[in-house]
Amino acid sequence: MSEEKKPPVTPRPAATVLMLRDGPDGMEVFMVKRHHKIDFATGALVFPGGSADPGDASDTVRALSDGAEGLSEDDLRFRVASVREAFEETGLLLCRRADAAEVLEADECEALHHYRDKLEANELDFGHFLEAENLIACLDRLEHFAHWITPPGMPKRFDTHFYVARTPARQLAKHDGSENVGSVWITPQAACDAADAGTYTIIFPTRVNIEKLDRMGKDVSTAMPKIAKD
């Protein structure tokens, strides 16, 4: 008797963000190394990201976001997810105070880090976080970069939107120490060279997007002229 066919796996909505800065050898991107116990991209060097939550597209989040005007519910959810996941996994937060024009300073961002675990555990909705701290999410600092969907037949599938953003000059990036056990600022070429040498494991979608980034220019302004500056 033939084995019964399993129903197709529905891709899980997800978002990831390439946080960029200019370094001494050219444009660098912040990447994190996944914990070996994580069941997706185990031990690999990846961009910060994860699943989109239903609350990422709430009315509260839309009202407390720059650049949300005219976005569909899905567009809003993916963009907010990339901001939230970047905060959870790196401590970088693309937000400003409601009474300020600039993104948060390093000390302001550090003072909010106790929220990261609650957001990660879905114990706190992102909209409630914004409300509690009088914050505005700076979605206008994101540029859409790529869209990947895991092929059918895979046991775990993702519908992932990739974004790029200039790293806030006044904030410091650091991996979370739980899902991610390491991190590095690295040029796209150095990342490819390290993957070829076996220094890092880089999965196919990540590699393709690193190579795309490398082709776009050697500094952030050249590669991504539209993304906001501090």
Side-chain angles (χ1 to χ4, degrees):
M1 180 181 292
S2 63
E3 190 174 311
E4 185 178 347
K5 279 191 174 181
K6 294 182 180 179
V9 177
T10 301
R12 183 188 305 175
T16 189
V17 60
L18 287 67
M19 301 296 294
L20 307 177
R21 73 176 187 184
D22 289 316
D25 297 317
M27 178 174 58
E28 298 175 335
V29 60
F30 190 71
M31 302 187 73
V32 293
K33 185 178 180 181
R34 286 289 190 230
H35 194 287
H36 70 279
K37 292 185 178 179
I38 298 295
D39 62 356
F40 178 75
T42 299
L45 203 63
V46 299
F47 309 121
S51 297
D53 295 338
D56 290 336
S58 69
D59 291 341
T60 300
V61 172
R62 184 180 292 275
L64 297 177
S65 296
D66 291 333
E69 302 83 3
L71 293 181
S72 69
E73 185 174 318
D74 282 343
D75 286 341
L76 178 64
R77 176 177 292 111
F78 285 119
R79 286 175 179 268
V80 171
S82 70
V83 171
R84 176 181 51 73
E85 287 286 343
F87 181 52
E88 292 175 13
E89 296 194 359
T90 74
L92 296 171
L93 184 57
L94 295 177
C95 286
R96 62 176 177 85
R97 296 290 180 189
D99 58 356
E102 298 81 17
V103 293
L104 298 173
E105 301 282 349
D107 58 343
E108 293 177 299
C109 201
E110 183 75 26
L112 300 173
H113 280 192
H114 64 280
Y115 285 106
R116 292 167 68 183
D117 288 343
K118 291 182 179 179
L119 288 166
E120 168 65 29
N122 291 317
E123 295 173 0
L124 179 67
D125 181 272
F126 194 67
H128 294 153
F129 164 65
L130 296 177
E131 276 188 319
E133 293 296 335
N134 196 31
L135 296 174
I136 303 295
C138 301
L139 306 186
D140 54 348
R141 294 179 66 96
L142 296 165
E143 284 290 329
H144 194 267
F145 189 69
H147 181 201
W148 283 69
I149 300 177
T150 309
M154 301 294 287
K156 181 169 285 192
R157 301 182 66 205
F158 294 92
D159 179 348
T160 306
H161 287 263
F162 291 72
Y163 296 89
V164 291
R166 187 186 297 270
T167 302
R170 296 178 291 276
Q171 294 182 22
L172 302 174
K174 185 178 180 181
H175 59 274
D176 57 20
S178 55
E179 287 191 12
N180 306 302
V181 295
S183 59
V184 62
W185 284 104
I186 192 167
T187 65
Q189 184 60 59
C192 291
D193 291 344
D196 291 341
T199 305
Y200 292 123
T201 298
I202 297 180
I203 60 176
F204 180 70
T206 305
R207 175 66 182 254
V208 171
N209 282 291
I210 290 173
E211 292 175 348
K212 177 182 176 182
L213 188 64
D214 191 43
R215 292 193 298 270
M216 298 183 74
K218 295 303 180 184
D219 59 72
V220 179
S221 295
T222 302
M224 299 291 160
K226 293 182 180 180
I227 64 174
K229 298 180 181 180
D230 288 332

